[in-house]
Amino acid sequence: MTTAESSSSASLFRRKPIDEVEDEKTGSKLFKSLGLWQLTAIGVGGIIGIGIFTLAGLVANGGPDAPGVGPGVLISFLIAGLASAAAALSYAEFAGMVPRAGSAYTYGYVALGEIIGWFIGWDLLLEYTAIVAVVAIGISGYFTEFMSGIGIDVPAWMQGTGDTVEGGVINLPALVVCLFITWILSRGTKTFGRFELVAVGLKVVLILFIVGLGFFFVNTSNYTPFLPNGFGAVFTGAATVFFAVFGYDAMSTAAEEATDGKKHMPKAILLSLAVAMVLYILATLVLTGMQNYRDISPTAGFASAFQSVGLPIIATIISAFAVLSILTVMLTFLLGVTRVWFSMSRDGLLPGWFSGTDRHGTPQRVTWIAGGASALLAGVFPIRAVADLTNIGILAAFVVVSVAVIVLRRRQPDAPREFRLPLMPWIPAFGVLSSGFLMLQLHWETWLRFVIWLIIGIVIYWFYGRRHSLLNPNSPRLAEPPPAPEAA
């Protein structure tokens, strides 16, 4: 077994046995309270929201560093969705085998070894936190539109940073909403699951209402030119909107809290992506048909579209409900970062203090730390910079999961699988190539920030995680008692 390996090079690739993952003996326990429909709601909640209400308009309109995609934003979403679907099938196979907290981190640890698992886990800590921040920035745009609709002008200094708003200092609404959803998640998974189910239901109704009403105001002349800046802009747009089509990734981090993870997780992953892609196609067609892409607001697209056709009251209603519906995206990804952090701590790669849970089975410490970090990002960074930082990490995770499912199918072909990925290895190979291609579309500054974060991670792993890992027979953590539950 790899736990007996003593050399440093061998220890980097020691793999966590599946049977050990299945019967976790160390650390804190999470409570099982999520059924199929709650899991699907978490997935849809993570996928649908910022993509429709903010990124569709942002990518269609463009900006100083990114030419507008125009009505071709539909193709950007389809390309991103196709790449995401290949990865989703890989996630579904893993989720049916290893229904534990951690998602891509756990999958990489089981199939490819500890150092790969560490890199992906460390990567996801940043990316999920950044997603919460970028979604909060999107909410802020709709909040400002809503307040304007009821006759209240939000001061420029609190609308955003100077990069995005003239006279801006801090994005106060985004910062506050990050802390609010942190509080909701801190109340426990059962409460969160109920809130998510209701909020996602309202979100789907809102989107169908928007699409149905907006259809009557579509002007087909707005579809010309369909690709004003060519396919290069479409691919860049696909890289930017990518994180809007993978909420199932964060949902899979809650597998350990599912009542029947092996059975329900694969179904929830595929269901949530299918529902989301249908809604994205309909919404982008209506948005770019209602208003010329040059005039679409990059922060509150649908609100500006209904304003343009003389329906300011509808625009105000949309702004109000968009804030509520986008909250579900933030909740899904904040759940994701806390469960990855919890898993890494429980495995010994990060201090055990982080894996402490309260009497409701909620890891309060990491919940509030992650929530505070996302609030800081949301308050001081522009939306595109945070969105691109998010995407490069998630695309890297998709590459690892797609490779890992191929490797594990070869190493353990007879291991029980609730769901088996079809067309092996072609579908995961396509996931690797498409995700890698989209990574190359991102700006060099995004790559620089990503590399710096990974360098910080390898330093922490080398001096702490490698020595304290529970797969290291000499780990100091093996002599420690499990963390006691915190007071609620």
Side-chain angles (χ1 to χ4, degrees):
M1 183 179 290
T2 55
T3 54
E5 296 169 348
S6 57
S7 69
S8 295
S9 59
S11 67
L12 295 179
F13 294 97
R14 54 197 173 200
R15 300 191 303 275
K16 192 169 188 178
I18 290 181
D19 56 353
E20 184 177 321
V21 176
E22 280 292 310
D23 187 23
E24 205 77 62
K25 297 295 186 185
T26 56
S28 304
K29 295 286 187 178
L30 299 172
F31 289 2
K32 296 182 180 295
S33 58
L34 301 174
L36 173 61
W37 296 114
Q38 287 172 312
L39 289 168
T40 303
I42 293 172
V44 173
I47 300 172
I48 291 292
I50 190 70
I52 284 180
F53 292 108
T54 299
L55 287 185
L58 175 71
V59 172
N61 179 276
D65 300 322
V69 178
V73 67
L74 167 65
I75 301 177
S76 293
F77 273 102
L78 287 174
I79 292 172
L82 190 61
S84 183
L89 292 167
S90 298
Y91 272 87
E93 177 161 325
F94 267 120
M97 294 178 66
V98 190
R100 307 301 286 179
S103 186
Y105 155 72
T106 299
Y107 306 155
Y109 204 164
V110 167
L112 302 177
E114 187 170 279
I115 187 65
I116 305 299
W118 164 267
F119 269 127
I120 291 304
W122 183 250
D123 162 36
L124 292 180
L125 293 184
L126 174 65
E127 310 320 324
Y128 285 168
T129 302
I131 290 174
V132 176
V134 75
V135 174
I137 297 170
I139 284 180
S140 178
Y142 275 94
F143 173 77
T144 301
E145 288 283 341
F146 170 71
M147 297 301 287
S148 176
I150 60 175
I152 300 175
D153 292 327
V154 178
W157 68 266
M158 68 162 58
Q159 289 186 29
T161 62
D163 296 332
T164 55
V165 178
E166 185 177 353
V169 176
I170 188 172
N171 196 327
L172 190 60
L175 188 152
V176 170
V177 79
C178 283
L179 298 179
F180 174 65
I181 63 103
T182 302
W183 176 79
I184 292 176
L185 191 59
S186 74
R187 306 314 299 164
T189 307
K190 191 172 184 178
T191 300
F192 156 72
R194 289 172 177 170
F195 175 87
E196 191 86 343
L197 190 60
V198 173
V200 168
L202 290 174
K203 177 194 296 192
V204 172
V205 170
L206 170 65
I207 293 171
L208 292 176
F209 168 74
I210 290 172
V211 170
L213 180 60
F215 175 79
F216 293 100
F217 296 92
V218 167
N219 182 349
T220 55
S221 65
N222 287 327
Y223 292 137
T224 304
F226 193 75
L227 299 176
N229 291 293
F231 263 100
V234 170
F235 288 126
T236 301
T240 298
V241 303
F242 189 80
F243 88 82
V245 295
F246 71 87
Y248 59 82
D249 171 63
M251 177 262 285
S252 68
T253 65
E256 195 168 330
E257 292 155 278
T259 54
D260 189 347
K262 282 191 173 184
K263 180 179 179 181
H264 292 157
M265 286 303 302
K267 293 180 181 178
I269 288 171
L270 300 178
L271 274 173
S272 60
L273 182 60
V275 170
M277 288 311 301
V278 170
L279 294 177
Y280 273 133
I281 291 170
L282 294 174
T284 51
L285 277 172
V286 168
L287 175 64
T288 55
M290 289 181 67
Q291 189 174 25
N292 187 280
Y293 78 93
R294 299 180 187 86
D295 302 321
I296 295 173
S297 168
T299 57
F302 270 105
S304 73
F306 278 96
Q307 286 274 9
S308 71
V309 296
L311 294 175
I313 295 178
I314 298 298
T316 302
I317 293 173
I318 289 173
S319 297
F321 277 93
V323 172
L324 173 65
S325 66
I326 296 176
L327 281 177
T328 64
V329 181
M330 298 179 67
L331 280 164
T332 296
F333 286 103
L334 187 60
L335 175 76
V337 67
T338 60
R339 273 39 178 185
V340 171
W341 200 334
F342 167 87
S343 296
M344 296 176 72
S345 174
R346 184 173 60 183
D347 290 339
L349 302 182
L350 290 172
W353 182 83
F354 293 120
S355 62
T357 57
D358 64 14
R359 63 186 179 87
H360 299 296
T362 302
Q364 292 285 352
R365 294 162 182 164
V366 296
T367 297
W368 283 101
I369 294 171
S374 64
L376 180 63
L377 279 175
V380 302
F381 283 94
I383 188 169
R384 186 177 285 273
V386 185
D388 286 347
L389 184 61
T390 290
N391 287 332
I392 192 169
I394 295 303
L395 286 163
F398 276 19
V399 169
V400 169
V401 172
S402 297
V403 170
V405 78
I406 297 172
V407 171
L408 200 60
R409 183 75 76 89
R410 290 184 176 275
R411 282 181 176 161
Q412 300 185 43
D414 299 324
R417 290 169 168 83
E418 188 70 27
F419 171 83
R420 294 183 70 87
L421 172 68
L423 300 177
M424 175 68 80
W426 303 111
I427 288 179
F430 174 76
V432 172
L433 294 175
S434 57
S435 296
F437 175 77
L438 290 177
M439 289 177 73
L440 295 176
Q441 309 306 307
L442 296 170
H443 199 272
W444 69 267
E445 291 180 353
T446 303
W447 278 92
L448 178 62
R449 296 185 188 107
F450 182 60
V451 170
I452 291 172
W453 178 253
L454 292 185
I455 291 173
I456 294 171
I458 195 60
V459 171
I460 294 174
Y461 173 75
W462 190 259
F463 289 103
Y464 182 90
R466 181 175 61 94
R467 297 165 60 188
H468 290 76
S469 167
L470 296 185
L471 293 189
N472 177 3
N474 300 315
S475 171
R477 284 283 298 274
L478 292 174
E480 297 176 6
E486 307 166 32

